[in-house]
Amino acid sequence: MENLKSFLWEIVKTVILAVIIVLPIRFFLFQPFLVQGISMEPNLQQNDYLIVDEISKRFKDFQRGDLVIFKSFEGKKLVKRIVGLPGEKVEISGGEVKINGQVLDESAYLAKGTVTKGEMSVTLGPDEYFVLGDNRAHSSDSRLFGPIKKKNIIGKVALKIPFSKLKFYFKFLYE
């Protein structure tokens, strides 16, 4: 009987310790996010699992090209790529994105021949970012809802786990 009590007490201590360690990490440092939709293809696929870094935004500014999760004007959480930084003038015309009059080189993350539709020009405020989806033809982004405020950015994508591909691998293994 004494061994059972000791065993149960060890389990309770382990669970309490796990909660004390895991909950602060989950709520203050990192958060999971599941990609829904095709707006970030081909770089992010439907059902890719992302780990979002919530802490680094307190210590350094976001950079052009960063993938961020933010709360949209509808309260939804979205993932998009930062293309315009605070204080910059962002122009979209002729299928190209220009930053302060210079064509933005997006070859590192966009498919060759990608065209950015729309005609607009906006100068970003001191705490505003311009975000676009990588699948420009099928993305609701700053072209639709305007710049996003820094306070609405939850964090930067730190890690991508392609469950969409893992699902395929598991299916292949068990058929």
Side-chain angles (χ1 to χ4, degrees):
M1 184 68 168
E2 192 62 38
N3 285 342
L4 180 61
K5 282 182 181 179
S6 178
F7 176 72
L8 291 175
W9 177 240
E10 287 300 318
I11 289 175
V12 169
K13 288 192 309 188
T14 302
V15 168
I16 290 171
L17 183 61
V19 167
I20 289 170
I21 293 170
V22 170
L23 287 181
I25 290 171
R26 163 60 180 90
F27 287 106
F28 300 111
L29 301 177
F30 297 99
Q31 152 173 185
F33 180 82
L34 189 66
V35 176
Q36 298 294 313
I38 62 171
S39 71
M40 292 303 295
E41 287 183 354
N43 298 307
L44 299 177
Q45 305 290 321
Q46 172 83 11
N47 294 325
D48 279 352
Y49 191 79
L50 307 176
I51 302 298
V52 181
D53 169 9
E54 295 182 62
I55 191 85
S56 64
K57 71 179 184 176
R58 295 179 178 103
F59 303 109
K60 66 179 201 174
D61 291 329
F62 296 107
Q63 302 297 310
R64 188 177 339 279
D66 284 350
L67 291 173
V68 294
I69 309 296
F70 62 96
K71 290 180 193 160
S72 73
F73 61 95
E74 298 171 331
K76 293 180 183 177
K77 291 180 182 176
L78 302 175
V79 59
K80 302 292 178 200
R81 187 175 304 279
I82 292 178
V83 295
L85 303 171
E88 293 181 332
K89 182 177 182 182
V90 180
E91 297 174 83
I92 298 175
S93 64
E96 297 179 320
V97 178
K98 295 178 184 173
I99 304 295
N100 297 327
Q102 299 293 315
V103 175
L104 181 61
D105 178 12
E106 298 181 280
S107 61
Y109 49 84
L110 287 185
K112 186 174 173 98
T114 298
V115 174
T116 306
K117 293 185 179 183
E119 299 286 328
M120 68 180 304
S121 178
V122 61
T123 300
L124 301 172
D127 67 337
E128 293 181 326
Y129 293 86
F130 197 88
V131 295
L132 293 172
D134 291 350
N135 185 353
R136 302 286 163 85
H138 300 284
S139 178
S140 296
D141 46 41
S142 287
R143 294 173 291 173
L144 175 67
F145 50 74
I148 61 169
K149 301 271 186 198
K150 184 175 183 175
K151 69 180 182 181
N152 292 331
I153 298 176
I154 295 165
K156 178 179 164 180
V157 174
L159 179 66
K160 173 180 96 165
I161 303 170
F163 279 136
S164 57
K165 291 185 173 112
L166 288 178
K167 187 176 174 183
F168 170 77
Y169 297 138
F170 287 126
K171 183 178 176 185
F172 176 75
L173 289 173
Y174 293 107
E175 284 187 339

